[in-house]
Amino acid sequence: MGKMLRRARGLLLRMPSEINCNTSTTGAALKDVLQEAQCQGRITYGVYQAVKTLEMNPAGVMLCILPEDNFQDVTLHIHFTLLEAFCWENDIRLIKVDSANKLTRLLGEQAPRHDNDIAAGRALRTQDCNCVLLEYPEQNVSDAESDMLEFYKSTCELCPRPVVTLPE
């Protein structure tokens, strides 16, 4: 069998079946990455705090994570669209996950250190898992982070992009 290619707007696109992108396995790796980054204080929560971080230091952002199911609010949907465009224009890796609730449960296990972390967007408020930014670590990236970066690299040209299934 040859590679399956689809031509769209003059571009050759790989079909999703060609790439090994088991999104549930990737979800487990993403869980590890998020928990590690949370312990190290490398996460920014919420759309507004994310925009501030992206405006000040876009090169320091390793991943932007957006839930796929968070479009009940029209204003939030507009913010997501603008945030996705900004990430695209600035070569920031964007990964979509299947559920804002799962993301909130996954990140809500650790209590904030103090109120200043909440105000700066480094600690979680229950409603703020509509957007999560992970900054690069000061040391080398972990194996789980390498797996996430490889997943992004292997799926970045797919249309539509896969949605990562987070563990329950």
Side-chain angles (χ1 to χ4, degrees), residues 6 13 16 25 36 45 47 49 76-77 83 98 104-106 110 129 135 144:
R6 183 174 68 201
L13 303 175
T25 303
E36 180 182 340
Y45 304 93
V47 173
Q49 291 82 4
L76 197 54
H77 178 69
L83 189 62
D98 63 331
T104 300
R105 280 194 307 268
L106 193 141
Q110 188 176 22
C129 278
E135 296 176 20

PDB file of all heavy atoms in Angstrom, residues 6 13 16 25 36 45 47 49 76-77 83 98 104-106 110 129 135 144:
ATOM      1  N   ARG A   6      -3.876  13.441   0.257  1.00  0.00           N
ATOM      2  CA  ARG A   6      -5.035  14.180  -0.192  1.00  0.00           C
ATOM      3  C   ARG A   6      -4.565  15.580  -0.574  1.00  0.00           C
ATOM      4  O   ARG A   6      -3.803  16.205   0.137  1.00  0.00           O
ATOM      5  CB  ARG A   6      -6.061  14.251   0.962  1.00  0.00           C
ATOM      6  CG  ARG A   6      -7.330  14.944   0.556  1.00  0.00           C
ATOM      7  CD  ARG A   6      -8.348  14.871   1.660  1.00  0.00           C
ATOM      8  NE  ARG A   6      -7.887  15.666   2.775  1.00  0.00           N
ATOM      9  CZ  ARG A   6      -8.309  15.510   4.019  1.00  0.00           C
ATOM     10  NH1 ARG A   6      -9.168  14.575   4.302  1.00  0.00           N
ATOM     11  NH2 ARG A   6      -7.871  16.274   4.975  1.00  0.00           N
ATOM     12  N   LEU A  13      -1.635  16.574   1.890  1.00  0.00           N
ATOM     13  CA  LEU A  13      -1.842  16.308   3.302  1.00  0.00           C
ATOM     14  C   LEU A  13      -1.831  14.809   3.543  1.00  0.00           C
ATOM     15  O   LEU A  13      -2.394  14.051   2.777  1.00  0.00           O
ATOM     16  CB  LEU A  13      -3.185  16.888   3.764  1.00  0.00           C
ATOM     17  CG  LEU A  13      -3.375  18.380   3.546  1.00  0.00           C
ATOM     18  CD1 LEU A  13      -4.789  18.776   3.930  1.00  0.00           C
ATOM     19  CD2 LEU A  13      -2.367  19.156   4.363  1.00  0.00           C
ATOM     20  N   PRO A  16      -4.959  10.978   8.467  1.00  0.00           N
ATOM     21  CA  PRO A  16      -4.711  10.659   9.871  1.00  0.00           C
ATOM     22  C   PRO A  16      -4.366   9.200  10.117  1.00  0.00           C
ATOM     23  O   PRO A  16      -3.635   8.893  11.040  1.00  0.00           O
ATOM     24  CB  PRO A  16      -6.038  11.033  10.550  1.00  0.00           C
ATOM     25  CG  PRO A  16      -6.640  12.065   9.657  1.00  0.00           C
ATOM     26  CD  PRO A  16      -6.205  11.689   8.267  1.00  0.00           C
ATOM     27  N   THR A  25      -3.051   7.142  24.656  1.00  0.00           N
ATOM     28  CA  THR A  25      -1.681   7.000  25.148  1.00  0.00           C
ATOM     29  C   THR A  25      -1.031   8.371  25.269  1.00  0.00           C
ATOM     30  O   THR A  25      -0.339   8.660  26.242  1.00  0.00           O
ATOM     31  CB  THR A  25      -0.847   6.112  24.194  1.00  0.00           C
ATOM     32  OG1 THR A  25      -1.507   4.863  24.065  1.00  0.00           O
ATOM     33  CG2 THR A  25       0.552   5.905  24.704  1.00  0.00           C
ATOM     34  N   GLU A  36       4.038  17.231  36.125  1.00  0.00           N
ATOM     35  CA  GLU A  36       5.435  17.609  36.339  1.00  0.00           C
ATOM     36  C   GLU A  36       5.600  19.127  36.257  1.00  0.00           C
ATOM     37  O   GLU A  36       6.239  19.743  37.112  1.00  0.00           O
ATOM     38  CB  GLU A  36       6.308  16.919  35.294  1.00  0.00           C
ATOM     39  CG  GLU A  36       7.779  17.230  35.403  1.00  0.00           C
ATOM     40  CD  GLU A  36       8.588  16.546  34.307  1.00  0.00           C
ATOM     41  OE1 GLU A  36       8.113  15.571  33.703  1.00  0.00           O
ATOM     42  OE2 GLU A  36       9.706  17.027  34.050  1.00  0.00           O
ATOM     43  N   TYR A  45      -2.595  29.335  33.868  1.00  0.00           N
ATOM     44  CA  TYR A  45      -3.992  28.940  33.721  1.00  0.00           C
ATOM     45  C   TYR A  45      -4.830  30.115  33.242  1.00  0.00           C
ATOM     46  O   TYR A  45      -4.657  31.226  33.704  1.00  0.00           O
ATOM     47  CB  TYR A  45      -4.566  28.486  35.065  1.00  0.00           C
ATOM     48  CG  TYR A  45      -3.806  27.384  35.731  1.00  0.00           C
ATOM     49  CD1 TYR A  45      -2.817  27.670  36.660  1.00  0.00           C
ATOM     50  CD2 TYR A  45      -4.075  26.064  35.446  1.00  0.00           C
ATOM     51  CE1 TYR A  45      -2.120  26.655  37.285  1.00  0.00           C
ATOM     52  CE2 TYR A  45      -3.392  25.044  36.076  1.00  0.00           C
ATOM     53  CZ  TYR A  45      -2.416  25.345  36.992  1.00  0.00           C
ATOM     54  OH  TYR A  45      -1.724  24.342  37.605  1.00  0.00           O
ATOM     55  N   VAL A  47      -7.388  32.008  29.944  1.00  0.00           N
ATOM     56  CA  VAL A  47      -7.174  32.716  28.680  1.00  0.00           C
ATOM     57  C   VAL A  47      -6.480  34.054  28.894  1.00  0.00           C
ATOM     58  O   VAL A  47      -5.508  34.378  28.207  1.00  0.00           O
ATOM     59  CB  VAL A  47      -8.514  32.919  27.934  1.00  0.00           C
ATOM     60  CG1 VAL A  47      -8.332  33.802  26.718  1.00  0.00           C
ATOM     61  CG2 VAL A  47      -9.106  31.593  27.531  1.00  0.00           C
ATOM     62  N   GLN A  49      -4.649  35.253  31.440  1.00  0.00           N
ATOM     63  CA  GLN A  49      -3.274  35.123  31.901  1.00  0.00           C
ATOM     64  C   GLN A  49      -2.386  34.559  30.797  1.00  0.00           C
ATOM     65  O   GLN A  49      -1.228  34.950  30.662  1.00  0.00           O
ATOM     66  CB  GLN A  49      -3.201  34.226  33.148  1.00  0.00           C
ATOM     67  CG  GLN A  49      -3.813  34.844  34.375  1.00  0.00           C
ATOM     68  CD  GLN A  49      -5.336  34.688  34.423  1.00  0.00           C
ATOM     69  OE1 GLN A  49      -5.948  34.051  33.571  1.00  0.00           O
ATOM     70  NE2 GLN A  49      -5.954  35.294  35.425  1.00  0.00           N
ATOM     71  N   LEU A  76     -15.743  33.520  24.823  1.00  0.00           N
ATOM     72  CA  LEU A  76     -14.620  32.615  25.013  1.00  0.00           C
ATOM     73  C   LEU A  76     -14.217  31.968  23.688  1.00  0.00           C
ATOM     74  O   LEU A  76     -13.031  31.810  23.403  1.00  0.00           O
ATOM     75  CB  LEU A  76     -14.988  31.538  26.032  1.00  0.00           C
ATOM     76  CG  LEU A  76     -13.862  30.741  26.653  1.00  0.00           C
ATOM     77  CD1 LEU A  76     -12.819  31.657  27.285  1.00  0.00           C
ATOM     78  CD2 LEU A  76     -14.414  29.780  27.676  1.00  0.00           C
ATOM     79  N   HIS A  77     -15.192  31.644  22.859  1.00  0.00           N
ATOM     80  CA  HIS A  77     -14.909  31.072  21.543  1.00  0.00           C
ATOM     81  C   HIS A  77     -14.097  32.058  20.695  1.00  0.00           C
ATOM     82  O   HIS A  77     -13.141  31.659  20.008  1.00  0.00           O
ATOM     83  CB  HIS A  77     -16.213  30.701  20.836  1.00  0.00           C
ATOM     84  CG  HIS A  77     -16.011  30.148  19.467  1.00  0.00           C
ATOM     85  ND1 HIS A  77     -15.426  28.912  19.246  1.00  0.00           N
ATOM     86  CD2 HIS A  77     -16.288  30.653  18.251  1.00  0.00           C
ATOM     87  CE1 HIS A  77     -15.356  28.697  17.946  1.00  0.00           C
ATOM     88  NE2 HIS A  77     -15.880  29.737  17.321  1.00  0.00           N
ATOM     89  N   LEU A  83      -6.509  33.249  20.017  1.00  0.00           N
ATOM     90  CA  LEU A  83      -5.367  32.589  20.640  1.00  0.00           C
ATOM     91  C   LEU A  83      -4.762  31.542  19.705  1.00  0.00           C
ATOM     92  O   LEU A  83      -3.537  31.457  19.557  1.00  0.00           O
ATOM     93  CB  LEU A  83      -5.801  31.943  21.958  1.00  0.00           C
ATOM     94  CG  LEU A  83      -4.713  31.384  22.843  1.00  0.00           C
ATOM     95  CD1 LEU A  83      -3.761  32.487  23.292  1.00  0.00           C
ATOM     96  CD2 LEU A  83      -5.333  30.709  24.047  1.00  0.00           C
ATOM     97  N   ASP A  98      -9.789  16.665  24.903  1.00  0.00           N
ATOM     98  CA  ASP A  98     -11.198  16.347  24.734  1.00  0.00           C
ATOM     99  C   ASP A  98     -12.132  16.995  25.737  1.00  0.00           C
ATOM    100  O   ASP A  98     -13.315  17.142  25.460  1.00  0.00           O
ATOM    101  CB  ASP A  98     -11.402  14.830  24.743  1.00  0.00           C
ATOM    102  CG  ASP A  98     -11.004  14.182  26.057  1.00  0.00           C
ATOM    103  OD1 ASP A  98     -10.108  14.707  26.742  1.00  0.00           O
ATOM    104  OD2 ASP A  98     -11.591  13.134  26.390  1.00  0.00           O
ATOM    105  N   THR A 104      -9.524  20.158  34.250  1.00  0.00           N
ATOM    106  CA  THR A 104      -9.691  20.781  35.564  1.00  0.00           C
ATOM    107  C   THR A 104      -9.458  19.766  36.676  1.00  0.00           C
ATOM    108  O   THR A 104      -8.758  20.055  37.648  1.00  0.00           O
ATOM    109  CB  THR A 104     -11.098  21.393  35.701  1.00  0.00           C
ATOM    110  OG1 THR A 104     -11.262  22.385  34.692  1.00  0.00           O
ATOM    111  CG2 THR A 104     -11.298  22.032  37.058  1.00  0.00           C
ATOM    112  N   ARG A 105     -10.024  18.566  36.532  1.00  0.00           N
ATOM    113  CA  ARG A 105      -9.820  17.527  37.557  1.00  0.00           C
ATOM    114  C   ARG A 105      -8.353  17.136  37.643  1.00  0.00           C
ATOM    115  O   ARG A 105      -7.809  16.954  38.724  1.00  0.00           O
ATOM    116  CB  ARG A 105     -10.668  16.296  37.246  1.00  0.00           C
ATOM    117  CG  ARG A 105     -12.111  16.437  37.666  1.00  0.00           C
ATOM    118  CD  ARG A 105     -12.825  15.102  37.667  1.00  0.00           C
ATOM    119  NE  ARG A 105     -12.714  14.364  36.416  1.00  0.00           N
ATOM    120  CZ  ARG A 105     -13.578  14.442  35.416  1.00  0.00           C
ATOM    121  NH1 ARG A 105     -14.619  15.235  35.494  1.00  0.00           N
ATOM    122  NH2 ARG A 105     -13.398  13.721  34.324  1.00  0.00           N
ATOM    123  N   LEU A 106      -7.706  17.028  36.497  1.00  0.00           N
ATOM    124  CA  LEU A 106      -6.309  16.622  36.468  1.00  0.00           C
ATOM    125  C   LEU A 106      -5.411  17.661  37.141  1.00  0.00           C
ATOM    126  O   LEU A 106      -4.514  17.320  37.895  1.00  0.00           O
ATOM    127  CB  LEU A 106      -5.875  16.425  35.012  1.00  0.00           C
ATOM    128  CG  LEU A 106      -4.568  15.728  34.790  1.00  0.00           C
ATOM    129  CD1 LEU A 106      -4.712  14.811  33.587  1.00  0.00           C
ATOM    130  CD2 LEU A 106      -3.482  16.727  34.524  1.00  0.00           C
ATOM    131  N   GLN A 110      -3.751  19.713  43.015  1.00  0.00           N
ATOM    132  CA  GLN A 110      -2.743  20.378  43.832  1.00  0.00           C
ATOM    133  C   GLN A 110      -3.245  21.768  44.211  1.00  0.00           C
ATOM    134  O   GLN A 110      -3.643  22.558  43.355  1.00  0.00           O
ATOM    135  CB  GLN A 110      -1.431  20.488  43.056  1.00  0.00           C
ATOM    136  CG  GLN A 110      -0.293  20.996  43.879  1.00  0.00           C
ATOM    137  CD  GLN A 110       0.995  20.985  43.097  1.00  0.00           C
ATOM    138  OE1 GLN A 110       0.997  20.987  41.879  1.00  0.00           O
ATOM    139  NE2 GLN A 110       2.092  21.012  43.799  1.00  0.00           N
ATOM    140  N   CYS A 129      -9.417  26.436  33.596  1.00  0.00           N
ATOM    141  CA  CYS A 129      -8.767  25.428  32.749  1.00  0.00           C
ATOM    142  C   CYS A 129      -9.266  25.492  31.318  1.00  0.00           C
ATOM    143  O   CYS A 129      -9.182  24.518  30.579  1.00  0.00           O
ATOM    144  CB  CYS A 129      -8.961  24.040  33.327  1.00  0.00           C
ATOM    145  SG  CYS A 129      -7.775  23.702  34.623  1.00  0.00           S
ATOM    146  N   GLU A 135       5.363  26.271  30.137  1.00  0.00           N
ATOM    147  CA  GLU A 135       6.627  26.910  29.787  1.00  0.00           C
ATOM    148  C   GLU A 135       7.718  25.854  29.715  1.00  0.00           C
ATOM    149  O   GLU A 135       7.606  24.781  30.299  1.00  0.00           O
ATOM    150  CB  GLU A 135       6.973  27.976  30.820  1.00  0.00           C
ATOM    151  CG  GLU A 135       5.967  29.114  30.836  1.00  0.00           C
ATOM    152  CD  GLU A 135       6.252  30.120  31.933  1.00  0.00           C
ATOM    153  OE1 GLU A 135       7.398  30.159  32.433  1.00  0.00           O
ATOM    154  OE2 GLU A 135       5.320  30.856  32.284  1.00  0.00           O
ATOM    155  N   ALA A 144       8.545  12.359  28.880  1.00  0.00           N
ATOM    156  CA  ALA A 144       7.130  12.600  28.587  1.00  0.00           C
ATOM    157  C   ALA A 144       6.969  13.878  27.754  1.00  0.00           C
ATOM    158  O   ALA A 144       6.164  13.920  26.817  1.00  0.00           O
ATOM    159  CB  ALA A 144       6.316  12.689  29.873  1.00  0.00           C
TER     160      ALA A 144
END
